[in-house]
Amino acid sequence: MEKPPALHLEEVRRSYVQGDHELAILRGATLSVWPGESVALIAPSGAGKSTLLHMAGLLEHPDGGEVYISGKPTAKLPDGARTAIRRHEIGFVYQFHHLLPEFTASENVALPQMIAGLDRREATKRANELLRFLGLAERLEHRPSELSGGEQQRVAIARAVANAPRLLLADEPTGNLDPKTADHVFETLSKLVSATKLAAVIATHNLDLAKRMTRRVTLRDGKVVELE
Ligand code: ADP
Protein backbone atom coordinates (compact mmCIF):
# COMPACT_ATOMS: atom_id res chain seq x y z
CA MET A 1 0.00 0.00 0.00
CA GLU A 2 1.21 3.51 -0.73
CA LYS A 3 2.53 5.42 2.27
CA PRO A 4 0.41 8.29 3.56
CA PRO A 5 1.71 11.85 3.27
CA ALA A 6 4.05 12.82 6.11
CA LEU A 7 1.80 15.83 6.65
CA HIS A 8 -1.76 16.41 5.57
CA LEU A 9 -3.65 19.54 6.56
CA GLU A 10 -7.34 19.16 5.86
CA GLU A 11 -9.41 22.35 5.79
CA VAL A 12 -7.55 23.79 8.77
CA ARG A 13 -9.10 26.86 10.33
CA ARG A 14 -7.55 29.18 12.88
CA SER A 15 -8.55 32.62 14.16
CA TYR A 16 -7.04 34.96 16.70
CA VAL A 17 -8.93 37.43 18.79
CA GLN A 18 -7.32 40.85 18.65
CA GLY A 19 -8.96 43.49 20.80
CA ASP A 20 -12.66 43.22 20.13
CA HIS A 21 -12.51 41.52 16.75
CA GLU A 22 -11.57 38.13 15.42
CA LEU A 23 -8.91 37.67 12.74
CA ALA A 24 -9.46 34.58 10.61
CA ILE A 25 -5.92 33.66 9.54
CA LEU A 26 -6.39 30.13 8.17
CA ARG A 27 -9.76 29.59 6.48
CA GLY A 28 -9.73 26.02 5.29
CA ALA A 29 -6.04 25.47 4.52
CA THR A 30 -5.37 22.12 2.81
CA LEU A 31 -1.89 20.79 2.05
CA SER A 32 -0.25 17.38 1.63
CA VAL A 33 3.50 16.85 1.81
CA TRP A 34 4.97 13.48 0.88
CA PRO A 35 8.21 11.84 2.05
CA GLY A 36 11.17 13.22 0.09
CA GLU A 37 9.30 16.40 -0.83
CA SER A 38 10.32 19.90 0.16
CA VAL A 39 7.64 22.56 -0.02
CA ALA A 40 8.48 26.27 0.06
CA LEU A 41 5.81 28.37 1.76
CA ILE A 42 6.08 31.86 0.32
CA ALA A 43 3.71 34.59 1.48
CA PRO A 44 3.90 38.16 2.75
CA SER A 45 4.42 38.87 6.41
CA GLY A 46 1.21 38.43 8.37
CA ALA A 47 -0.33 35.99 5.85
CA GLY A 48 -0.23 33.14 8.35
CA LYS A 49 2.94 31.17 7.55
CA SER A 50 3.97 30.76 11.17
CA THR A 51 0.40 29.94 12.11
CA LEU A 52 0.33 27.16 9.50
CA LEU A 53 3.66 25.80 10.75
CA HIS A 54 2.38 25.88 14.33
CA MET A 55 -0.65 23.83 13.28
CA ALA A 56 1.50 21.38 11.31
CA GLY A 57 3.92 21.08 14.24
CA LEU A 58 1.10 20.44 16.74
CA LEU A 59 2.21 23.48 18.72
CA GLU A 60 -1.30 24.91 18.61
CA HIS A 61 -4.75 23.43 18.07
CA PRO A 62 -6.72 24.27 14.95
CA ASP A 63 -10.21 25.72 15.52
CA GLY A 64 -11.48 23.40 12.82
CA GLY A 65 -10.25 20.87 10.29
CA GLU A 66 -7.70 18.13 10.87
CA VAL A 67 -3.94 17.70 10.93
CA TYR A 68 -2.72 14.23 9.91
CA ILE A 69 0.87 13.26 10.71
CA SER A 70 1.89 10.17 8.73
CA GLY A 71 -1.80 9.42 8.23
CA LYS A 72 -2.81 9.75 11.89
CA PRO A 73 -5.38 12.39 12.85
CA THR A 74 -4.13 14.55 15.74
CA ALA A 75 -6.73 17.23 16.47
CA LYS A 76 -8.56 15.24 19.14
CA LEU A 77 -5.53 13.65 20.77
CA PRO A 78 -4.69 14.60 24.36
CA ASP A 79 -1.71 16.90 24.86
CA GLY A 80 0.59 14.08 25.97
CA ALA A 81 0.05 12.15 22.74
CA ARG A 82 0.53 15.32 20.66
CA THR A 83 3.79 16.02 22.47
CA ALA A 84 5.00 12.47 21.80
CA ILE A 85 4.28 12.83 18.07
CA ARG A 86 5.99 16.22 18.05
CA ARG A 87 9.05 14.78 19.74
CA HIS A 88 9.41 11.68 17.58
CA GLU A 89 8.08 12.67 14.20
CA ILE A 90 8.66 16.40 13.78
CA GLY A 91 11.79 18.55 13.68
CA PHE A 92 11.82 22.35 13.87
CA VAL A 93 14.25 24.94 12.56
CA TYR A 94 13.73 28.61 13.38
CA GLN A 95 15.17 31.85 12.04
CA PHE A 96 17.39 32.11 15.10
CA HIS A 97 19.12 28.89 15.91
CA HIS A 98 18.43 28.63 19.70
CA LEU A 99 21.47 26.41 20.24
CA LEU A 100 22.61 25.99 23.83
CA PRO A 101 25.63 28.29 24.18
CA GLU A 102 27.53 26.29 26.77
CA PHE A 103 27.46 23.05 24.74
CA THR A 104 29.50 22.08 21.68
CA ALA A 105 27.96 21.49 18.26
CA SER A 106 28.21 17.74 18.83
CA GLU A 107 26.53 17.99 22.26
CA ASN A 108 23.76 20.24 20.94
CA VAL A 109 22.86 17.55 18.40
CA ALA A 110 23.33 14.64 20.80
CA LEU A 111 21.14 16.10 23.57
CA PRO A 112 17.71 15.63 21.96
CA GLN A 113 18.63 12.01 21.25
CA MET A 114 19.67 11.45 24.87
CA ILE A 115 16.39 13.01 26.02
CA ALA A 116 14.65 10.50 23.73
CA GLY A 117 16.48 7.69 25.54
CA LEU A 118 19.65 6.96 23.54
CA ASP A 119 22.88 6.52 25.50
CA ARG A 120 25.53 9.20 25.19
CA ARG A 121 27.89 7.13 23.03
CA GLU A 122 25.27 6.28 20.41
CA ALA A 123 23.85 9.81 20.47
CA THR A 124 27.29 11.36 19.99
CA LYS A 125 28.10 8.96 17.17
CA ARG A 126 24.94 9.85 15.28
CA ALA A 127 25.38 13.58 16.05
CA ASN A 128 28.87 13.54 14.58
CA GLU A 129 27.77 11.58 11.50
CA LEU A 130 25.04 14.12 10.86
CA LEU A 131 27.33 17.09 11.38
CA ARG A 132 29.87 15.57 9.00
CA PHE A 133 27.14 15.01 6.42
CA LEU A 134 26.26 18.70 6.73
CA GLY A 135 29.88 19.72 6.14
CA LEU A 136 30.83 20.44 9.75
CA ALA A 137 33.44 17.72 10.34
CA GLU A 138 35.93 20.32 11.57
CA ARG A 139 33.46 22.00 13.92
CA LEU A 140 32.23 19.18 16.17
CA GLU A 141 33.82 20.55 19.34
CA HIS A 142 33.07 24.22 18.69
CA ARG A 143 30.57 26.13 20.80
CA PRO A 144 27.89 28.16 18.99
CA SER A 145 29.74 31.46 19.63
CA GLU A 146 32.76 30.01 17.79
CA LEU A 147 30.70 29.24 14.66
CA SER A 148 29.58 31.47 11.78
CA GLY A 149 25.86 32.18 11.26
CA GLY A 150 25.60 29.58 8.50
CA GLU A 151 27.42 26.98 10.56
CA GLN A 152 25.15 27.64 13.54
CA GLN A 153 22.12 27.18 11.33
CA ARG A 154 23.48 23.91 9.94
CA VAL A 155 23.98 22.67 13.52
CA ALA A 156 20.36 23.67 14.21
CA ILE A 157 19.27 21.63 11.18
CA ALA A 158 21.29 18.64 12.41
CA ARG A 159 19.65 18.99 15.83
CA ALA A 160 16.18 19.19 14.25
CA VAL A 161 16.68 15.89 12.42
CA ALA A 162 18.72 14.13 15.12
CA ASN A 163 15.78 11.98 16.17
CA ALA A 164 15.04 11.02 12.56
CA PRO A 165 11.68 12.85 12.26
CA ARG A 166 9.51 12.28 9.21
CA LEU A 167 8.62 15.93 8.96
CA LEU A 168 10.85 19.00 9.11
CA LEU A 169 9.26 22.42 9.62
CA ALA A 170 11.39 25.51 9.11
CA ASP A 171 10.34 29.10 9.70
CA GLU A 172 12.57 31.49 7.71
CA PRO A 173 15.64 29.35 8.39
CA THR A 174 17.88 31.59 6.30
CA GLY A 175 16.16 34.91 7.06
CA ASN A 176 19.05 35.95 9.22
CA LEU A 177 21.88 35.04 6.82
CA ASP A 178 23.67 36.76 3.94
CA PRO A 179 22.71 35.47 0.45
CA LYS A 180 25.73 33.24 -0.06
CA THR A 181 25.43 31.61 3.34
CA ALA A 182 21.66 31.25 2.90
CA ASP A 183 22.34 29.49 -0.37
CA HIS A 184 24.69 27.04 1.31
CA VAL A 185 22.26 26.32 4.15
CA PHE A 186 19.45 25.67 1.64
CA GLU A 187 21.69 23.38 -0.36
CA THR A 188 22.40 21.43 2.82
CA LEU A 189 18.70 21.22 3.65
CA SER A 190 17.80 19.95 0.18
CA LYS A 191 20.54 17.33 0.32
CA LEU A 192 19.25 16.13 3.65
CA VAL A 193 15.63 15.96 2.49
CA SER A 194 16.43 13.81 -0.53
CA ALA A 195 18.97 11.61 1.28
CA THR A 196 16.65 10.79 4.19
CA LYS A 197 13.22 10.93 2.50
CA LEU A 198 12.16 13.60 4.94
CA ALA A 199 9.19 15.79 4.15
CA ALA A 200 9.88 19.48 4.67
CA VAL A 201 7.85 22.68 4.78
CA ILE A 202 10.03 25.75 4.68
CA ALA A 203 8.63 29.26 5.07
CA THR A 204 10.82 31.71 3.21
CA HIS A 205 10.86 35.10 1.50
CA ASN A 206 13.68 34.05 -0.78
CA LEU A 207 12.25 33.21 -4.20
CA ASP A 208 15.58 32.05 -5.65
CA LEU A 209 15.96 29.49 -2.91
CA ALA A 210 12.29 28.51 -3.11
CA LYS A 211 12.84 27.55 -6.76
CA ARG A 212 15.06 24.71 -5.64
CA MET A 213 12.35 23.11 -3.53
CA THR A 214 10.11 20.40 -4.95
CA ARG A 215 6.99 22.59 -4.75
CA ARG A 216 6.04 26.12 -3.93
CA VAL A 217 2.83 27.19 -2.23
CA THR A 218 1.40 30.43 -0.89
CA LEU A 219 -1.43 31.49 1.41
CA ARG A 220 -4.27 33.40 -0.19
CA ASP A 221 -7.30 34.40 1.89
CA GLY A 222 -6.32 31.82 4.45
CA LYS A 223 -6.10 28.94 1.96
CA VAL A 224 -3.06 27.15 0.54
CA VAL A 225 -2.57 27.78 -3.18
CA GLU A 226 0.03 25.98 -5.33
CA LEU A 227 2.46 28.23 -7.22
CA GLU A 228 4.39 27.43 -10.38
P1 ADP B 1 3.48 35.17 9.00
O1 ADP B 1 4.27 34.07 9.62
O2 ADP B 1 3.02 34.87 7.61
O3 ADP B 1 4.17 36.51 9.08
P2 ADP B 1 1.73 34.79 11.29
O4 ADP B 1 1.20 33.42 11.16
O5 ADP B 1 2.86 35.00 12.25
O6 ADP B 1 2.13 35.33 9.84
O7 ADP B 1 0.58 35.77 11.72
C1 ADP B 1 -0.61 35.96 10.96
C2 ADP B 1 -1.50 36.98 11.66
O8 ADP B 1 -2.01 36.42 12.86
C3 ADP B 1 -0.81 38.26 12.05
O9 ADP B 1 -1.67 39.33 11.75
C4 ADP B 1 -0.60 38.13 13.53
O10 ADP B 1 -0.65 39.39 14.15
C5 ADP B 1 -1.74 37.25 13.96
N1 ADP B 1 -1.37 36.41 15.10
C6 ADP B 1 -0.47 35.41 15.08
N2 ADP B 1 -0.36 34.81 16.28
C7 ADP B 1 -1.22 35.46 17.09
C8 ADP B 1 -1.60 35.32 18.46
N3 ADP B 1 -1.05 34.38 19.25
N4 ADP B 1 -2.54 36.18 18.95
C9 ADP B 1 -3.09 37.11 18.17
N5 ADP B 1 -2.80 37.29 16.87
C10 ADP B 1 -1.87 36.49 16.33
Side-chain angles (χ1 to χ4, degrees), residues 125-170:
K125 186 163 166 266
R126 178 166 159 79
N128 293 348
E129 277 168 11
L130 259 172
L131 289 165
R132 287 193 191 100
F133 181 77
L134 299 183
L136 295 167
E138 310 297 321
R139 301 287 183 275
L140 304 181
E141 303 308 321
H142 286 54
R143 291 200 164 75
S145 62
E146 300 160 342
L147 298 170
S148 71
E151 288 168 345
Q152 290 169 352
Q153 207 53 327
R154 279 184 282 151
V155 177
I157 292 168
R159 179 189 52 185
V161 300
N163 286 335
R166 295 163 197 250
L167 178 63
L168 182 69
L169 301 172

Side-chain angles (χ1 to χ4, degrees), residues 38 40 42 173-175 177-187 190 202 204-216:
S38 52
I42 313 155
T174 59
L177 304 173
D178 65 77
K180 196 158 159 248
T181 310
D183 196 84
H184 190 195
V185 169
F186 247 71
E187 201 63 54
S190 312
I202 302 163
T204 183
H205 284 298
N206 190 323
L207 296 177
D208 286 338
L209 298 181
K211 280 193 192 128
R212 301 213 208 127
M213 306 283 102
T214 325
R215 276 161 59 207
R216 284 145 293 281

Side-chain angles (χ1 to χ4, degrees), residues 16-18 23 25 43-52 60 171:
Y16 294 112
V17 178
Q18 248 174 18
L23 276 177
I25 304 299
S45 196
K49 298 184 295 297
S50 302
T51 305
L52 185 143
E60 287 178 57
D171 202 348

